[in-house]
Amino acid sequence: MASRQFATFEVDGQLFGVEVHTVQEVLSYNEYTPVPLAPKAVGGLFNLRGQVIAAVDLRVQLGLARQALQGPVMNVILRGDGEPVSLLVDKIGEVVDLDDETFEPPPDTLSGPTRELVVGTFKLDGRLMLALDVNQAVDTYRATN
């Protein structure tokens, strides 16, 4: 039985996950530089050991209110097609092993911006994890902006 590992996190109380191989690291950070004229999903830039990282506010990508960047904010730094990019999330979860047999397509009830970002779901103990399309999640030029 084939399985995959997902790094999980929460945004607005909903559990999301990305495949572990797409994650560079997870960290808390609190100093972001605003980017004038950037798409509204860009929360800012920060310096990670000499590398400038763009922080994409996943709340905005999901059609929710922007996250307040006051104090430490949780970041999931992803290895994208080009440079690493960070997703700003509300809470970090854990790494879970999930069987491919439990994967289901996104439910018909899922609509709006979230539908574009989700590739499928996994049922966990009492919760539903939405698996994100990493490339869509970090695309700040989507129609919602």
Side-chain angles (χ1 to χ4, degrees):
M1 179 179 330
S3 68
R4 294 183 276 175
Q5 286 190 318
F6 282 82
T8 64
F9 47 87
E10 291 184 25
V11 174
D12 197 39
Q14 175 61 57
L15 185 66
F16 291 92
V18 293
E19 290 193 64
V20 167
H21 71 84
T22 65
V23 178
Q24 176 176 312
E25 62 188 289
V26 174
L27 57 90
S28 175
Y29 205 81
N30 60 354
E31 293 183 32
Y32 299 88
T33 302
V35 183
L37 305 176
K40 64 183 176 179
V42 176
L45 301 174
F46 66 98
N47 185 328
L48 179 65
R49 295 182 293 278
Q51 185 173 24
V52 176
I53 305 287
V56 176
D57 191 337
L58 189 53
R59 294 180 66 83
V60 173
Q61 294 290 73
L62 295 168
L64 302 169
R66 175 184 284 283
Q67 182 163 328
L69 296 180
Q70 299 170 348
V73 178
M74 298 311 301
N75 291 263
V76 178
I77 301 181
L78 303 169
R79 296 181 193 109
D81 292 333
E83 297 293 317
V85 65
S86 172
L87 283 181
L88 300 175
V89 302
D90 296 346
K91 182 179 176 183
I92 298 299
E94 57 191 3
V95 173
V96 293
D97 287 307
L98 300 173
D99 293 326
D100 286 341
E101 290 179 1
T102 63
F103 177 83
E104 296 180 16
D108 293 334
T109 56
L110 193 62
S111 61
T114 305
R115 178 80 177 191
E116 297 174 27
L117 301 182
V118 173
V119 294
T121 64
F122 288 91
K123 290 179 185 168
L124 304 181
D125 295 329
R127 292 194 79 179
L128 188 67
M129 186 199 81
L130 303 179
L132 285 182
D133 177 327
V134 171
N135 292 323
Q136 286 292 326
V138 299
D139 181 1
T140 59
Y141 291 100
R142 292 178 36 252
T144 60
N145 291 316

